[in-house]
Amino acid sequence: MSKTRNTATFNATLSDKMFDWANVLVMCLVLVITLYPFLNVLAISFNESNDTVRGGLTIFPREFTLKNYETIFAYSGLITGFKISVLRTIVGTLLGLLSGSMLAYCLARPDFQSRKFVSTFLAMTMYVSGGLIPTYMLFRDLHLMNTFGVYVLPGIVSAFNVFVIRSFIDGLPYALQESAKIDGANDFTIYWRVILPLCKPVLATIALFLAVGQWNSWFDTYLYNNSTPSLTTLQYELTKVLQSTTNSSDVRGKNITDIVTSVSPESIKMAITIVVSLPILVVYPFLQRYFVSGMTLGAVKS
């Protein structure tokens, strides 16, 4: 009897170990597949451009240089684009969080009589839109063209974000709000001092969505602010370089063609890709610990 039990225990232990090793191998494979493209781009951005043309680069530069980065920072629109991108990311994320959480708090209140109508109206906006031309005409009539407001005002409320936050609030004990009311707190005080502190996981998740969306956005610059150099964004400048590195534009008083003759277009593209990706890569680790819990807890109810 004991011999049979020992054999079963050994088989279970062996199968557990095999599963662990297989899991480690799969995770290592996923890690390599995920990291290799980024490390390859990083290596090309730091590699001497003439050597890059030869090809064969992996994850380490053969001839290290900073000339590619020196070249892209010579673009006149890069610093302006970086400032506007950072500003729109901060302002857009804060306004999106504030407006989305306020609306979600209202929809989560059982005593809000119009919650079903507002929820249905918001849900419809996720499936039906006016289209590009009516949107362009609307922004023109609202005098948002060639203004900073066109970056943050149109996306200040997202139906998806509101529903995620509302689902998270629905999972909180309603007795907390009732207790606060008994203590004399009004609705705004309950929202600001009771609900928001408890919603950190879902707010961090939504903040990451909003920040990445704002940072990566370039099409609105192309449509509404392409004639205003002072409102250009970093992603729009990257798009112009990716489309053609020989387009005529001023680079600190020089033609862009004169600047890129000493570096390859591939090196320029990779260097700018690293520049525009780095801020999000720096921010993500600080929000990652809230990301999974915010998504799972916010998706319990609909």
Side-chain angles (χ1 to χ4, degrees):
M1 184 70 179
S2 64
K3 185 177 180 180
T4 304
R5 184 180 302 169
N6 292 336
T7 302
T9 303
F10 174 77
N11 291 335
T13 304
L14 181 61
S15 62
D16 290 341
K17 289 183 178 180
M18 291 178 63
F19 174 79
D20 291 341
W21 279 106
N23 195 24
V24 169
L25 290 176
V26 171
M27 290 298 103
C28 289
L29 181 61
V30 172
L31 182 64
V32 171
I33 294 174
T34 305
L35 285 182
Y36 178 79
F38 178 79
L39 294 178
N40 180 252
V41 170
L42 187 64
I44 295 176
S45 69
F46 280 110
N47 195 68
E48 205 279 328
S49 59
N50 293 328
D51 180 73
T52 300
V53 179
R54 294 167 46 200
L57 281 174
T58 55
I59 62 175
F60 298 104
R62 280 194 299 258
E63 298 183 17
F64 183 84
T65 182
L66 295 176
K67 190 172 184 179
N68 299 324
Y69 289 94
E70 293 174 356
T71 302
I72 64 172
F73 280 110
Y75 286 87
S76 60
L78 189 67
I79 302 300
T80 301
F82 181 81
K83 293 178 180 178
I84 296 298
S85 292
V86 170
L87 184 61
R88 71 172 291 179
T89 299
I90 295 175
V91 175
T93 301
L94 292 178
L95 289 180
L97 282 177
L98 188 63
S99 58
S101 60
M102 280 186 173
L103 183 54
Y105 169 67
C106 293
L107 295 179
R109 293 287 299 268
D111 54 347
F112 179 48
Q113 297 180 357
S114 301
R115 59 182 298 187
K116 184 174 292 187
F117 170 77
V118 176
S119 297
T120 303
F121 179 79
L122 282 175
M124 290 178 58
T125 64
M126 300 177 64
Y127 301 99
V128 181
S129 65
L132 182 60
I133 296 178
T135 301
Y136 183 91
M137 296 174 63
L138 175 63
F139 291 170
R140 181 195 61 190
D141 294 340
L142 292 176
H143 304 289
L144 291 176
M145 304 289 290
N146 299 315
T147 64
F148 181 79
V150 77
Y151 291 145
V152 295
L153 294 181
I156 197 171
V157 174
S158 168
F160 174 79
N161 296 341
V162 170
F163 289 144
V164 171
I165 300 175
R166 188 201 67 179
S167 298
F168 190 93
I169 297 176
D170 284 339
L172 300 176
Y174 188 68
L176 294 174
Q177 300 184 39
E178 293 178 335
S179 300
K181 274 193 172 182
I182 294 175
D183 292 337
N186 56 30
D187 290 333
F188 183 79
T189 302
I190 296 174
Y191 159 77
W192 189 258
R193 297 195 173 185
V194 177
I195 300 300
L196 280 190
L198 296 175
C199 290
K200 284 183 180 179
V202 70
L203 291 180
T205 303
I206 299 302
L208 185 61
F209 289 160
L210 291 171
V212 172
Q214 287 285 354
W215 181 262
N216 289 334
S217 182
W218 65 272
F219 197 55
D220 48 6
T221 308
Y222 173 74
L223 288 177
Y224 313 120
N225 286 338
N226 59 3
S227 61
T228 310
S230 60
L231 292 175
T232 187
T233 57
L234 193 59
Q235 296 291 348
Y236 181 59
E237 294 300 317
L238 170 63
T239 303
K240 291 195 296 185
V241 173
L242 293 179
Q243 287 177 346
S244 175
T245 56
T246 59
N247 286 340
S248 177
S249 65
D250 285 336
V251 184
R252 290 185 182 174
K254 298 182 180 179
N255 189 283
I256 191 174
T257 307
D258 300 330
I259 293 294
V260 299
T261 51
S262 59
V263 294
S264 67
E266 189 71 14
S267 300
I268 290 293
K269 294 175 184 178
M270 299 307 176
I272 295 183
T273 301
I274 294 297
V275 169
V276 299
S277 302
L278 191 60
I280 295 299
L281 294 176
V282 172
V283 171
Y284 180 76
F286 296 98
L287 300 178
Q288 190 271 340
R289 65 192 182 108
Y290 297 108
F291 189 80
V292 175
S293 59
M295 285 301 295
T296 54
L297 293 177
V300 172
K301 299 181 180 180
S302 59

Coordinates of all heavy atoms in Angstrom, one line a residue, residues 9-93:
T9 N 2.9 9.5 -5.5 CA 3.5 10.8 -5.1 C 4.7 11.2 -6.0 O 4.8 12.4 -6.4 CB 4.0 10.8 -3.7 OG1 2.9 10.4 -2.8 CG2 4.5 12.1 -3.2
F10 N 5.5 10.2 -6.4 CA 6.6 10.4 -7.3 C 6.1 10.9 -8.7 O 6.7 11.8 -9.3 CB 7.5 9.2 -7.4 CG 8.6 9.3 -8.4 CD1 9.7 10.0 -8.1 CD2 8.4 8.7 -9.6 CE1 10.7 10.1 -9.0 CE2 9.5 8.8 -10.6 CZ 10.6 9.5 -10.3
N11 N 5.1 10.2 -9.2 CA 4.5 10.6 -10.5 C 4.0 12.0 -10.5 O 4.1 12.8 -11.4 CB 3.5 9.6 -10.9 CG 4.1 8.2 -11.2 OD1 5.2 8.1 -11.6 ND2 3.2 7.2 -11.1
A12 N 3.3 12.3 -9.4 CA 2.7 13.7 -9.2 C 3.8 14.7 -9.2 O 3.7 15.8 -9.8 CB 1.8 13.8 -8.0
T13 N 4.9 14.4 -8.4 CA 6.0 15.4 -8.3 C 6.7 15.5 -9.7 O 7.0 16.6 -10.1 CB 7.0 14.9 -7.3 OG1 6.3 14.7 -6.0 CG2 8.1 15.9 -7.1
L14 N 6.9 14.4 -10.4 CA 7.5 14.5 -11.7 C 6.7 15.3 -12.7 O 7.2 16.1 -13.4 CB 7.7 13.0 -12.2 CG 8.4 12.9 -13.5 CD1 9.8 13.5 -13.5 CD2 8.5 11.4 -14.0
S15 N 5.4 15.0 -12.7 CA 4.5 15.8 -13.6 C 4.5 17.3 -13.3 O 4.5 18.1 -14.2 CB 3.1 15.2 -13.6 OG 2.5 15.4 -12.3
D16 N 4.5 17.6 -12.0 CA 4.6 19.0 -11.6 C 5.9 19.7 -12.0 O 5.9 20.8 -12.5 CB 4.5 19.2 -10.0 CG 3.1 18.8 -9.5 OD1 2.2 18.8 -10.4 OD2 2.9 18.5 -8.3
K17 N 7.0 18.9 -11.9 CA 8.3 19.5 -12.3 C 8.3 19.7 -13.9 O 8.8 20.7 -14.4 CB 9.4 18.6 -11.9 CG 9.7 18.6 -10.4 CD 10.9 17.7 -10.0 CE 11.2 17.8 -8.5 NZ 12.3 17.0 -8.2
M18 N 7.7 18.7 -14.6 CA 7.7 18.8 -16.0 C 6.9 20.0 -16.5 O 7.2 20.7 -17.4 CB 7.2 17.5 -16.6 CG 8.1 16.3 -16.5 SD 7.3 14.8 -17.1 CE 7.2 15.3 -18.9
F19 N 5.7 20.2 -15.8 CA 4.9 21.4 -16.1 C 5.6 22.7 -15.8 O 5.6 23.6 -16.6 CB 3.6 21.3 -15.3 CG 2.7 22.5 -15.4 CD1 1.9 22.7 -16.5 CD2 2.7 23.5 -14.5 CE1 1.2 23.8 -16.7 CE2 2.0 24.6 -14.6 CZ 1.2 24.8 -15.7
D20 N 6.3 22.7 -14.7 CA 7.1 23.9 -14.3 C 8.1 24.2 -15.3 O 8.3 25.4 -15.8 CB 7.7 23.8 -12.9 CG 6.7 23.8 -11.8 OD1 5.6 24.2 -12.0 OD2 7.0 23.2 -10.7
W21 N 8.9 23.2 -15.8 CA 9.9 23.4 -16.8 C 9.3 23.9 -18.1 O 9.9 24.8 -18.8 CB 10.8 22.2 -17.0 CG 11.8 22.0 -15.9 CD1 11.8 21.1 -14.9 CD2 13.0 22.7 -15.8 NE1 13.0 21.2 -14.1 CE2 13.7 22.2 -14.7 CE3 13.6 23.8 -16.5 CZ2 15.0 22.8 -14.3 CZ3 14.8 24.3 -16.2 CH2 15.5 23.8 -15.0
A22 N 8.2 23.2 -18.5 CA 7.6 23.6 -19.7 C 7.1 25.1 -19.6 O 7.2 25.8 -20.6 CB 6.4 22.7 -20.0
N23 N 6.5 25.4 -18.5 CA 6.0 26.8 -18.3 C 7.2 27.8 -18.4 O 7.0 28.9 -19.0 CB 5.3 26.9 -16.9 CG 4.5 28.1 -16.8 OD1 4.1 28.7 -17.8 ND2 4.3 28.5 -15.6
V24 N 8.3 27.5 -17.8 CA 9.5 28.4 -17.8 C 10.0 28.5 -19.3 O 10.3 29.6 -19.7 CB 10.6 27.8 -16.9 CG1 11.9 28.6 -17.2 CG2 10.2 27.9 -15.4
L25 N 10.0 27.4 -20.0 CA 10.5 27.5 -21.4 C 9.5 28.3 -22.2 O 10.0 29.2 -23.1 CB 10.6 26.1 -22.0 CG 11.7 25.2 -21.4 CD1 11.6 23.8 -22.0 CD2 13.1 25.8 -21.7
V26 N 8.2 28.2 -22.1 CA 7.3 29.0 -22.8 C 7.4 30.4 -22.5 O 7.4 31.3 -23.4 CB 5.8 28.4 -22.6 CG1 4.8 29.4 -23.2 CG2 5.7 27.1 -23.1
M27 N 7.5 30.7 -21.2 CA 7.6 32.1 -20.8 C 8.9 32.8 -21.3 O 8.9 33.9 -21.7 CB 7.6 32.2 -19.2 CG 6.3 31.9 -18.6 SD 4.9 33.1 -19.1 CE 4.1 32.1 -20.3
C28 N 10.0 32.0 -21.3 CA 11.3 32.5 -21.9 C 11.1 32.8 -23.4 O 11.7 33.8 -23.9 CB 12.4 31.5 -21.6 SG 12.9 31.4 -19.9
L29 N 10.4 31.9 -24.1 CA 10.2 32.1 -25.5 C 9.4 33.3 -25.7 O 9.7 34.1 -26.6 CB 9.5 30.9 -26.1 CG 9.2 30.9 -27.6 CD1 10.5 31.0 -28.4 CD2 8.4 29.7 -28.0
V30 N 8.3 33.5 -24.9 CA 7.5 34.7 -25.1 C 8.3 36.0 -24.8 O 8.2 37.0 -25.4 CB 6.3 34.6 -24.1 CG1 5.5 36.0 -24.1 CG2 5.4 33.5 -24.6
L31 N 9.2 35.9 -23.8 CA 10.0 37.0 -23.4 C 11.0 37.4 -24.5 O 11.1 38.6 -24.9 CB 10.8 36.7 -22.1 CG 11.8 37.8 -21.6 CD1 10.9 39.0 -21.1 CD2 12.6 37.2 -20.4
V32 N 11.6 36.4 -25.2 CA 12.5 36.6 -26.3 C 11.8 37.3 -27.4 O 12.2 38.3 -28.0 CB 13.2 35.3 -26.7 CG1 14.0 35.6 -28.0 CG2 14.1 34.9 -25.6
I33 N 10.6 36.7 -27.8 CA 9.8 37.2 -28.9 C 9.4 38.7 -28.6 O 9.3 39.5 -29.5 CB 8.6 36.3 -29.1 CG1 9.0 34.9 -29.6 CG2 7.6 36.9 -30.2 CD1 7.9 33.9 -29.8
T34 N 9.1 39.0 -27.4 CA 8.6 40.3 -27.0 C 9.7 41.3 -27.0 O 9.6 42.5 -27.5 CB 7.9 40.3 -25.6 OG1 6.9 39.3 -25.7 CG2 7.3 41.7 -25.3
L35 N 10.9 40.9 -26.4 CA 11.9 41.9 -26.2 C 12.8 42.1 -27.4 O 13.4 43.2 -27.6 CB 12.8 41.5 -25.0 CG 12.2 41.7 -23.6 CD1 13.2 41.2 -22.6 CD2 11.8 43.1 -23.4
Y36 N 13.0 41.0 -28.2 CA 14.0 41.1 -29.3 C 13.7 42.3 -30.3 O 14.6 43.0 -30.6 CB 14.0 39.8 -30.1 CG 15.0 39.9 -31.3 CD1 16.3 39.7 -31.1 CD2 14.5 40.1 -32.6 CE1 17.2 39.8 -32.1 CE2 15.4 40.2 -33.6 CZ 16.8 40.0 -33.4 OH 17.6 40.1 -34.4
P37 N 12.5 42.5 -30.8 CA 12.3 43.7 -31.7 C 12.7 45.0 -31.1 O 13.3 45.8 -31.8 CB 10.8 43.6 -32.0 CG 10.4 42.2 -31.7 CD 11.2 41.8 -30.6
F38 N 12.3 45.2 -29.8 CA 12.7 46.5 -29.2 C 14.2 46.6 -29.0 O 14.8 47.7 -29.3 CB 12.0 46.6 -27.8 CG 12.4 47.8 -27.0 CD1 11.8 49.0 -27.4 CD2 13.3 47.8 -26.0 CE1 12.1 50.2 -26.7 CE2 13.7 48.9 -25.4 CZ 13.0 50.2 -25.7
L39 N 14.9 45.5 -28.6 CA 16.3 45.6 -28.4 C 17.0 45.7 -29.8 O 18.1 46.4 -29.8 CB 16.8 44.3 -27.7 CG 16.3 44.1 -26.3 CD1 16.8 42.7 -25.8 CD2 16.8 45.2 -25.4
N40 N 16.4 45.2 -30.8 CA 17.0 45.4 -32.2 C 16.9 46.8 -32.6 O 17.9 47.4 -33.2 CB 16.3 44.4 -33.1 CG 16.9 44.6 -34.6 OD1 16.2 45.1 -35.4 ND2 18.1 44.1 -34.8
V41 N 15.7 47.4 -32.3 CA 15.5 48.9 -32.7 C 16.5 49.7 -31.9 O 17.1 50.6 -32.4 CB 14.1 49.3 -32.4 CG1 13.9 50.8 -32.5 CG2 13.2 48.6 -33.4
L42 N 16.7 49.4 -30.6 CA 17.6 50.1 -29.7 C 19.1 50.0 -30.2 O 19.8 51.0 -30.2 CB 17.5 49.6 -28.3 CG 18.3 50.3 -27.2 CD1 17.8 51.8 -27.1 CD2 18.2 49.6 -25.9
A43 N 19.4 48.8 -30.7 CA 20.8 48.6 -31.2 C 21.0 49.4 -32.5 O 22.1 50.0 -32.6 CB 21.0 47.1 -31.4
I44 N 20.1 49.4 -33.3 CA 20.2 50.2 -34.6 C 20.3 51.7 -34.3 O 21.1 52.4 -35.0 CB 19.0 49.9 -35.5 CG1 19.1 48.4 -36.0 CG2 19.1 50.8 -36.8 CD1 17.9 48.0 -36.8
S45 N 19.5 52.1 -33.3 CA 19.5 53.6 -33.0 C 20.9 54.0 -32.5 O 21.2 55.2 -32.6 CB 18.4 53.9 -32.0 OG 18.7 53.3 -30.7
F46 N 21.6 53.1 -31.8 CA 22.9 53.5 -31.3 C 24.1 53.0 -32.2 O 25.2 53.2 -31.8 CB 23.1 52.8 -29.9 CG 22.4 53.6 -28.8 CD1 21.3 53.0 -28.1 CD2 22.9 54.8 -28.4 CE1 20.7 53.7 -27.1 CE2 22.3 55.5 -27.4 CZ 21.1 55.0 -26.7
N47 N 23.8 52.5 -33.3 CA 24.8 52.0 -34.2 C 25.2 53.0 -35.3 O 24.3 53.8 -35.7 CB 24.4 50.7 -34.9 CG 25.5 49.9 -35.5 OD1 26.4 49.4 -34.8 ND2 25.6 49.9 -36.8
E48 N 26.4 53.0 -35.7 CA 26.9 54.0 -36.7 C 26.1 53.7 -38.0 O 25.9 52.5 -38.4 CB 28.4 53.8 -36.9 CG 29.1 55.0 -37.5 CD 28.9 55.1 -39.0 OE1 28.8 54.0 -39.7 OE2 28.8 56.2 -39.5
S49 N 25.6 54.7 -38.6 CA 24.6 54.6 -39.7 C 25.2 53.9 -40.9 O 24.5 53.1 -41.5 CB 24.0 56.0 -40.1 OG 25.1 56.8 -40.5
N50 N 26.4 54.2 -41.3 CA 27.0 53.5 -42.4 C 27.2 52.0 -42.2 O 27.0 51.2 -43.1 CB 28.3 54.1 -42.8 CG 28.2 55.5 -43.3 OD1 27.2 55.9 -43.9 ND2 29.2 56.4 -43.0
D51 N 27.4 51.6 -40.9 CA 27.5 50.2 -40.6 C 26.2 49.6 -40.6 O 26.0 48.4 -40.9 CB 28.2 50.1 -39.2 CG 28.4 48.6 -38.8 OD1 29.2 47.9 -39.4 OD2 27.6 48.2 -37.9
T52 N 25.1 50.3 -40.2 CA 23.8 49.8 -40.2 C 23.3 49.3 -41.6 O 22.6 48.3 -41.7 CB 22.8 50.8 -39.7 OG1 23.2 51.2 -38.3 CG2 21.4 50.3 -39.6
V53 N 23.8 50.0 -42.6 CA 23.4 49.6 -44.0 C 23.8 48.2 -44.3 O 23.2 47.5 -45.1 CB 23.9 50.6 -45.0 CG1 23.6 50.3 -46.4 CG2 23.4 52.0 -44.7
R54 N 24.9 47.7 -43.7 CA 25.4 46.4 -44.0 C 24.4 45.3 -43.5 O 24.4 44.2 -44.0 CB 26.7 46.2 -43.3 CG 27.9 47.0 -43.8 CD 29.1 47.0 -42.9 NE 29.3 45.6 -42.5 CZ 30.1 45.3 -41.4 NH1 30.6 46.2 -40.6 NH2 30.3 44.0 -41.1
G55 N 23.6 45.7 -42.5 CA 22.6 44.7 -41.9 C 23.3 43.8 -41.0 O 24.5 43.9 -40.6
G56 N 22.5 42.8 -40.5 CA 23.1 41.8 -39.6 C 23.1 42.2 -38.2 O 23.7 41.4 -37.3
L57 N 22.5 43.3 -37.8 CA 22.5 43.7 -36.4 C 21.5 42.9 -35.6 O 20.4 42.6 -36.1 CB 22.2 45.2 -36.2 CG 23.3 46.2 -36.5 CD1 22.8 47.6 -36.5 CD2 24.5 46.0 -35.5
T58 N 21.9 42.6 -34.4 CA 20.9 41.8 -33.5 C 20.5 42.7 -32.4 O 19.7 43.6 -32.5 CB 21.6 40.5 -33.0 OG1 22.9 40.9 -32.4 CG2 21.9 39.6 -34.2
I59 N 21.0 42.5 -31.2 CA 20.6 43.3 -30.0 C 21.7 44.1 -29.5 O 21.5 44.8 -28.5 CB 20.1 42.4 -28.9 CG1 21.1 41.4 -28.4 CG2 18.8 41.6 -29.4 CD1 20.7 40.6 -27.2
F60 N 22.9 44.1 -30.1 CA 24.0 44.9 -29.7 C 24.5 45.7 -30.9 O 24.7 45.2 -32.0 CB 25.1 44.1 -29.1 CG 24.8 43.3 -27.9 CD1 24.5 41.9 -27.9 CD2 24.6 43.9 -26.7 CE1 24.2 41.2 -26.8 CE2 24.2 43.2 -25.5 CZ 24.0 41.9 -25.6
P61 N 24.8 47.0 -30.7 CA 25.4 47.8 -31.8 C 26.9 47.4 -32.1 O 27.6 47.1 -31.1 CB 25.3 49.2 -31.3 CG 25.3 49.1 -29.8 CD 24.6 47.8 -29.5
R62 N 27.2 47.3 -33.3 CA 28.6 47.0 -33.7 C 29.5 48.1 -33.5 O 30.7 48.0 -33.1 CB 28.6 46.5 -35.2 CG 28.2 45.0 -35.4 CD 28.6 44.5 -36.7 NE 28.0 45.3 -37.8 CZ 26.9 44.9 -38.5 NH1 26.4 43.7 -38.2 NH2 26.4 45.6 -39.4
E63 N 29.1 49.3 -33.9 CA 29.9 50.5 -33.8 C 29.0 51.6 -33.1 O 28.2 52.3 -33.7 CB 30.3 51.1 -35.2 CG 31.2 50.1 -35.9 CD 31.7 50.7 -37.2 OE1 31.6 51.9 -37.4 OE2 32.2 49.9 -38.1
F64 N 29.2 51.7 -31.8 CA 28.4 52.6 -30.9 C 28.6 54.0 -31.3 O 29.7 54.5 -31.5 CB 28.7 52.3 -29.5 CG 27.9 53.2 -28.5 CD1 26.6 52.7 -28.1 CD2 28.3 54.4 -28.1 CE1 25.8 53.4 -27.3 CE2 27.5 55.1 -27.2 CZ 26.3 54.6 -26.8
T65 N 27.5 54.8 -31.4 CA 27.6 56.2 -31.6 C 26.3 56.9 -31.1 O 25.2 56.2 -31.0 CB 27.7 56.5 -33.1 OG1 27.8 57.9 -33.4 CG2 26.5 55.9 -33.9
L66 N 26.4 58.1 -30.8 CA 25.2 59.0 -30.4 C 24.8 59.9 -31.5 O 24.0 60.8 -31.3 CB 25.6 59.7 -29.1 CG 25.8 58.9 -27.9 CD1 26.2 59.9 -26.7 CD2 24.6 58.1 -27.5
K67 N 25.4 59.8 -32.7 CA 25.2 60.7 -33.8 C 23.8 60.7 -34.3 O 23.2 61.7 -34.7 CB 26.1 60.4 -34.9 CG 26.1 61.5 -36.0 CD 27.2 61.3 -37.0 CE 27.3 62.5 -38.0 NZ 28.3 62.3 -39.0
N68 N 23.1 59.5 -34.2 CA 21.7 59.4 -34.7 C 20.8 60.3 -33.8 O 19.9 61.0 -34.3 CB 21.3 58.0 -34.6 CG 22.1 57.1 -35.5 OD1 22.5 57.5 -36.6 ND2 22.3 55.9 -35.1
Y69 N 21.1 60.2 -32.5 CA 20.3 61.0 -31.6 C 20.6 62.5 -31.7 O 19.7 63.4 -31.5 CB 20.4 60.5 -30.1 CG 19.8 59.2 -29.9 CD1 20.5 58.0 -30.0 CD2 18.5 59.1 -29.5 CE1 19.9 56.8 -29.8 CE2 17.9 57.9 -29.3 CZ 18.6 56.7 -29.5 OH 18.0 55.5 -29.3
E70 N 21.9 62.8 -31.9 CA 22.3 64.2 -32.1 C 21.6 64.8 -33.3 O 21.2 66.0 -33.4 CB 23.8 64.3 -32.2 CG 24.5 64.0 -31.0 CD 26.0 63.9 -31.2 OE1 26.5 64.1 -32.4 OE2 26.8 63.7 -30.2
T71 N 21.4 64.0 -34.4 CA 20.8 64.4 -35.6 C 19.3 64.7 -35.4 O 18.8 65.7 -35.8 CB 21.0 63.4 -36.7 OG1 22.4 63.1 -36.9 CG2 20.3 63.8 -38.0
I72 N 18.6 63.8 -34.7 CA 17.1 64.0 -34.6 C 16.8 65.1 -33.7 O 15.8 65.8 -33.8 CB 16.4 62.7 -34.1 CG1 16.9 62.3 -32.7 CG2 16.7 61.5 -35.1 CD1 16.1 61.2 -32.1
F73 N 17.7 65.4 -32.7 CA 17.4 66.5 -31.8 C 17.8 67.8 -32.5 O 17.6 68.9 -31.9 CB 18.2 66.4 -30.5 CG 17.6 65.4 -29.5 CD1 18.1 64.2 -29.2 CD2 16.4 65.8 -28.9 CE1 17.5 63.3 -28.4 CE2 15.8 64.9 -28.0 CZ 16.3 63.7 -27.7
A74 N 18.3 67.8 -33.7 CA 18.5 69.0 -34.5 C 17.2 69.4 -35.2 O 17.2 70.5 -35.7 CB 19.6 68.8 -35.5
Y75 N 16.2 68.5 -35.3 CA 15.0 68.9 -35.9 C 14.3 70.0 -35.1 O 14.1 69.9 -33.9 CB 14.0 67.7 -36.0 CG 14.4 66.7 -37.0 CD1 15.3 65.7 -36.7 CD2 13.8 66.7 -38.3 CE1 15.7 64.7 -37.7 CE2 14.2 65.8 -39.2 CZ 15.1 64.8 -38.9 OH 15.4 63.8 -39.9
S76 N 13.9 71.0 -35.8 CA 13.3 72.2 -35.1 C 11.9 71.8 -34.4 O 11.6 72.4 -33.4 CB 13.0 73.3 -36.1 OG 12.2 72.9 -37.2
G77 N 11.2 70.9 -35.0 CA 9.9 70.5 -34.5 C 9.9 69.5 -33.4 O 8.9 69.2 -32.8
L78 N 11.1 68.9 -33.1 CA 11.1 67.8 -32.2 C 10.9 68.3 -30.8 O 10.1 67.7 -30.0 CB 12.5 67.1 -32.3 CG 12.5 65.8 -31.5 CD1 11.6 64.7 -32.1 CD2 14.0 65.2 -31.4
I79 N 11.6 69.3 -30.3 CA 11.4 69.8 -29.0 C 10.0 70.3 -28.7 O 9.4 70.1 -27.7 CB 12.5 70.9 -28.7 CG1 13.9 70.3 -28.9 CG2 12.3 71.4 -27.2 CD1 14.2 69.2 -28.0
T80 N 9.5 71.1 -29.7 CA 8.1 71.6 -29.6 C 7.1 70.5 -29.6 O 6.2 70.5 -28.7 CB 7.8 72.5 -30.8 OG1 8.7 73.6 -30.9 CG2 6.4 73.0 -30.7
G81 N 7.3 69.5 -30.4 CA 6.4 68.3 -30.4 C 6.5 67.6 -29.1 O 5.5 67.1 -28.6
F82 N 7.7 67.4 -28.5 CA 7.8 66.8 -27.2 C 7.1 67.5 -26.1 O 6.3 66.9 -25.3 CB 9.3 66.6 -26.9 CG 9.5 65.9 -25.6 CD1 9.5 64.5 -25.5 CD2 9.8 66.6 -24.4 CE1 9.7 63.9 -24.3 CE2 10.0 66.0 -23.2 CZ 10.0 64.6 -23.2
K83 N 7.2 68.8 -26.1 CA 6.5 69.6 -25.1 C 5.0 69.5 -25.2 O 4.3 69.3 -24.2 CB 6.9 71.1 -25.2 CG 8.4 71.3 -24.8 CD 8.7 72.8 -25.0 CE 10.2 73.1 -24.7 NZ 10.5 74.5 -24.9
I84 N 4.5 69.6 -26.4 CA 3.0 69.5 -26.7 C 2.5 68.1 -26.3 O 1.4 68.0 -25.8 CB 2.7 69.9 -28.1 CG1 3.1 71.4 -28.4 CG2 1.2 69.7 -28.4 CD1 2.3 72.4 -27.5
S85 N 3.3 67.1 -26.7 CA 2.9 65.7 -26.4 C 2.8 65.5 -24.9 O 1.8 64.8 -24.4 CB 3.8 64.7 -27.1 OG 3.7 64.8 -28.5
V86 N 3.8 66.0 -24.2 CA 3.8 65.8 -22.7 C 2.6 66.6 -22.1 O 1.9 66.1 -21.3 CB 5.1 66.3 -22.1 CG1 5.0 66.4 -20.6 CG2 6.2 65.4 -22.5
L87 N 2.4 67.8 -22.6 CA 1.3 68.6 -22.1 C -0.1 68.0 -22.3 O -0.9 67.9 -21.4 CB 1.4 70.0 -22.7 CG 0.4 71.0 -22.1 CD1 0.5 71.2 -20.6 CD2 0.5 72.4 -22.9
R88 N -0.3 67.5 -23.6 CA -1.6 67.0 -23.9 C -1.8 65.6 -23.2 O -2.9 65.3 -22.8 CB -1.7 66.8 -25.4 CG -0.9 65.7 -26.0 CD -1.2 65.4 -27.5 NE -2.5 64.8 -27.6 CZ -3.1 64.5 -28.8 NH1 -2.4 64.8 -29.9 NH2 -4.3 64.0 -28.8
T89 N -0.7 64.9 -22.9 CA -0.8 63.6 -22.2 C -1.3 63.9 -20.7 O -2.2 63.2 -20.2 CB 0.5 62.9 -22.2 OG1 0.8 62.5 -23.6 CG2 0.4 61.6 -21.4
I90 N -0.6 64.9 -20.1 CA -0.9 65.2 -18.7 C -2.3 65.8 -18.6 O -3.2 65.3 -17.8 CB 0.1 66.2 -18.1 CG1 1.5 65.5 -18.1 CG2 -0.3 66.6 -16.7 CD1 2.6 66.4 -17.6
V91 N -2.6 66.8 -19.4 CA -3.9 67.4 -19.3 C -5.1 66.5 -19.7 O -6.1 66.4 -19.0 CB -4.0 68.7 -20.2 CG1 -5.4 69.3 -20.2 CG2 -3.0 69.7 -19.6
G92 N -4.9 65.8 -20.8 CA -5.9 64.9 -21.3 C -6.2 63.7 -20.3 O -7.3 63.3 -20.1
T93 N -5.1 63.2 -19.7 CA -5.3 62.1 -18.7 C -6.0 62.6 -17.5 O -6.9 61.9 -17.0 CB -3.9 61.5 -18.4 OG1 -3.3 61.0 -19.5 CG2 -4.1 60.4 -17.4

